[in-house]
Amino acid sequence: MGLAKISTMVNRIRADRGADHTLLFDSGDTIQGTPLDYYYAKVEPITDTGRIHPMAKAMNAIGYDAVTLGNHEFNYGLPMLATWIKQMKAPVLGANAVSVKTGLPAYQLFIIKTMHVRGEKPIRVGVLGLTNPGVAIWDKANVEGRLQFLDLVATAKKWVPRIRKLGADVVLVTAHAGDSGLSSYGEDLPVENAAAMVAEEVPGIDAVLFGHAHNDVPQRFVTNKATGKQVLLTEPSKWGQRLSVVDFTLAKQRGKWTVTGKTSATLNTNTVAEDPKIVALMKEQHDKTVGYVNQVIAQSKESLSAAESPYKDTPILDYIQKVQTDLVGKAIAGTADASLPVLSIAAPFSRTAVFPAGPVSVRDMAGLYVYDNTLLGIKLTGSQIKDFLEYSAKYFNQVAPGAPIDLATLTNAGNTPDYNYDQLSGVHYDIDIAKPVGQRIVNLTYQGNPIPADQQFVVAINNYRQSGGGGFPHVTTAPVVYNAQVEIRQALIDYATATGSIDPADFAESNWKLVRDNVPVF
């Protein structure tokens, strides 16, 4: 996977179709999500060093025609994003991101590319870029009061006709939004995964290249409600695993170019070799990052795996809970909330994460905590914690007592991702998967006693969840008692470095389990 393989495949497409008949786009989430991105945002930030961001360097060398902003482009703050945009040779698009102060677009709206045809009038291709409204929640700390993120459909309805009036023969929308029509948050913001809605509701679009959902969608056709025309959609998975190839066939009709056919496919980049030009270009920054992630930070007493974390209380997730609880507990010491119990939430971000017995590296810790979340402390009551846990427990499919347990279908009910299944430490509870959603949390206790509805707790929570990611109840309005912008992954690394040892005896506690009629499932 990755851009070096993408480059090889792009070179082949350009050679086959003709470089002058080929355009290359990306639909976002480019500068966050890997140790390489993290290193040049936090360890040696390009905003301090003035160096070219490795992703800008690679994408410039490959020759992108435009790049759309994804939600993760905002994770490291607006100055970092602005620096990367300046370094990019390709226009960076985000038509629905507007300034709160002026109401004007904060980023470039669209481009129109001219494709020359020998002996004929040129073909003009308009490309509109749309980013995700969820940025307002997920990166609230970075964008609140500065940027507003408008509805994708409304924005496309405004700009697509203008692109057509400027002479575009073909219109492509590149959107950082899935195609399900659903949102991971409530109804306060525009729809998160609106790519297919844009195709259905906005006349004049020929195709939509979309990202965000991480699915492999080789080709999907959606009928536009106003025109009855078929709009092509495609999504090339994630991490450079796939390259979407969209082919348009055009013909002259009444002196104008018209799209008469369109197809798409996603090509597997694992079938080609890396482009040696990109490998050489990235070698120094790549090697520096590899050296960083291979640093040994602690010794683990035994091998700890996250494979069973979605349905069992595992020590490796308890390690996250321990670090978060200690940080928040120390932070509120000496405050008015010092006497309150400190709980912690963590989710199984990765089923493949492992701490090996023996040396544990930065890489191992990054494999466990794959997101650049920061830590907060909020206050919740006993009844609110019960609501929170009930909401989290919708992650499990209902299984009758005595029915066989199929691990393949036990979790991810309603397409709930693993990262939206929160486990709570500091209290004890059972999840009765034989019961319907909303009635599953049983035997909820603190220090062996039932929890009064009005008892107050401080809960260590990540910024994604606290800002509304996943739509959990109560957390967005709960009082915040700690927010020092500490990155959780770095806190885990610092804790391991300070102690030098990872011993389950120091932190593992089995405080929740799945049951059916009080009979443990495992």
Side-chain angles (χ1 to χ4, degrees):
M1 63 183 77
L3 282 182
K5 286 176 176 278
I6 288 286
S7 182
T8 297
M9 198 158 268
V10 167
N11 289 339
R12 290 186 181 182
I13 298 294
R14 285 172 173 158
D16 178 58
R17 309 293 205 277
D20 56 343
H21 283 195
T22 306
L23 298 170
L24 178 62
F25 307 109
D26 184 272
S27 284
D29 282 4
T30 302
I31 61 170
Q32 185 275 338
T34 68
L36 181 77
D37 285 327
Y38 178 83
Y39 189 88
Y40 287 98
K42 290 294 186 179
V43 183
E44 286 188 19
I46 61 166
T47 46
D48 293 343
T49 65
R51 295 198 64 187
I52 300 293
H53 193 287
M55 294 302 286
K57 187 187 294 185
M59 297 180 89
N60 289 343
I62 296 169
Y64 280 76
D65 291 283
V67 175
T68 293
L69 292 169
N71 55 283
H72 286 291
E73 260 65 77
F74 296 87
N75 287 172
Y76 296 125
L78 298 184
M80 172 71 183
L81 176 54
T83 300
W84 173 72
I85 290 174
K86 287 179 182 177
Q87 294 177 349
M88 287 289 291
K89 291 180 181 178
V92 178
L93 310 177
N96 58 322
V98 301
S99 166
V100 169
K101 289 183 179 179
T102 67
L104 297 175
Y107 303 98
Q108 188 163 336
L109 304 164
F110 59 85
I111 61 166
I112 297 180
K113 301 288 289 189
T114 300
M115 316 293 287
H116 295 285
V117 183
R118 186 174 299 174
E120 294 281 0
K121 64 180 291 189
I123 297 170
R124 290 166 63 78
V125 181
V127 182
L128 175 68
L130 301 171
T131 191
N132 202 287
V135 175
I137 288 178
W138 306 320
D139 273 299
K140 182 178 179 180
N142 292 326
V143 302
E144 187 175 30
R146 300 178 182 181
L147 294 177
Q148 182 181 2
F149 297 86
L150 306 179
D151 180 84
L152 276 77
V153 173
T155 303
K157 282 184 176 178
K158 178 177 181 179
W159 295 110
V160 168
R162 300 192 189 190
I163 294 171
R164 285 288 184 185
K165 285 181 181 179
L166 289 171
D169 304 296
V170 181
V171 172
L172 173 79
V173 171
T174 163
H176 193 79
D179 63 341
S180 68
L182 304 175
S183 299
S184 63
Y185 42 75
E187 298 179 357
D188 293 338
L189 291 178
V191 174
E192 175 184 354
N193 295 302
M197 295 168 63
V198 169
E200 287 176 342
E201 298 178 30
V202 183
I205 297 170
D206 293 297
V208 180
L209 170 70
F210 66 100
H212 187 61
H214 294 195
N215 294 323
D216 183 6
V217 183
Q219 178 176 274
R220 177 187 174 190
F221 284 100
V222 170
T223 303
N224 184 267
K225 294 176 180 177
T227 65
K229 292 183 178 180
Q230 296 292 291
V231 183
L232 175 65
L233 290 89
T234 182
E235 181 182 28
S237 190
K238 59 190 182 296
W239 305 332
Q241 291 177 336
R242 300 289 185 271
L243 176 70
S244 282
V245 180
V246 181
D247 282 300
F248 293 108
T249 304
L250 283 83
K252 276 287 212 46
Q253 294 180 358
R254 297 178 183 176
K256 290 186 177 182
W257 288 112
T258 302
V259 175
T260 57
K262 48 197 171 186
T263 61
S264 65
T266 53
L267 306 183
N268 185 352
T269 58
N270 202 33
T271 61
V272 300
E274 293 179 326
D275 183 346
K277 172 182 148 185
I278 302 301
V279 172
L281 185 69
M282 304 293 287
K283 187 177 189 314
E284 185 261 333
Q285 289 173 303
H286 174 81
D287 289 350
K288 184 172 281 191
T289 305
V290 170
Y292 165 71
V293 300
N294 284 337
Q295 293 177 21
V296 173
I297 53 176
Q299 299 287 323
S300 181
K301 295 287 186 181
E302 58 188 82
S303 177
L304 303 178
S305 168
E308 296 181 327
S309 293
Y311 47 88
K312 289 184 182 180
D313 188 341
T314 55
I316 197 167
L317 252 66
D318 287 343
Y319 186 75
I320 299 173
Q321 308 278 35
K322 166 68 173 173
V323 174
Q324 293 183 160
T325 300
D326 281 7
L327 259 175
V328 173
K330 289 176 182 176
I332 64 171
T335 73
D337 299 306
S339 62
L340 297 181
V342 179
L343 314 180
S344 173
I345 66 115
F349 291 157
S350 170
R351 299 190 184 208
T352 59
V354 174
F355 288 170
V360 174
S361 67
V362 170
R363 176 202 301 269
D364 299 319
M365 203 63 75
L368 172 64
Y369 208 97
V370 299
Y371 299 111
D372 293 341
N373 293 333
T374 58
L375 184 65
L376 294 91
I378 61 174
K379 283 202 289 190
L380 293 177
T381 65
S383 63
Q384 290 174 328
I385 283 170
K386 173 73 158 46
D387 291 345
F388 184 98
L389 290 173
E390 289 286 9
Y391 183 89
S392 187
K394 71 185 179 66
Y395 170 77
F396 297 100
N397 281 298
Q398 191 170 359
V399 186
I405 295 293
D406 180 3
L407 293 180
T409 60
L410 176 62
T411 62
N412 306 103
N415 294 318
T416 302
D418 290 352
Y419 62 75
N420 277 343
Y421 169 51
D422 279 352
Q423 304 169 16
L424 190 68
S425 73
V427 296
H428 284 76
Y429 61 97
D430 296 335
I431 302 173
D432 192 332
I433 60 172
K435 294 183 178 179
V437 171
Q439 304 174 32
R440 292 179 166 178
I441 302 302
V442 294
N443 304 321
L444 176 60
T445 61
Y446 173 68
Q447 294 185 340
N449 299 310
I451 299 176
D454 60 350
Q455 181 172 350
Q456 288 196 319
F457 296 87
V458 171
V459 182
I461 190 170
N462 68 59
N463 67 299
Y464 172 80
R465 184 69 73 238
Q466 185 273 338
S467 62
F472 281 68
H474 307 305
V475 292
T476 60
T477 56
V480 175
V481 299
Y482 168 77
N483 184 9
Q485 293 292 297
V486 171
E487 293 184 10
I488 296 172
R489 184 197 299 121
Q490 192 59 44
L492 296 171
I493 292 169
D494 292 345
Y495 191 91
T497 303
T499 59
S501 174
I502 298 174
D503 185 352
D506 297 333
F507 54 82
E509 181 186 9
S510 182
N511 68 291
W512 70 270
K513 64 182 180 294
L514 299 184
V515 300
R516 289 180 293 185
D517 290 346
N518 283 322
V519 177
V521 173
F522 300 107

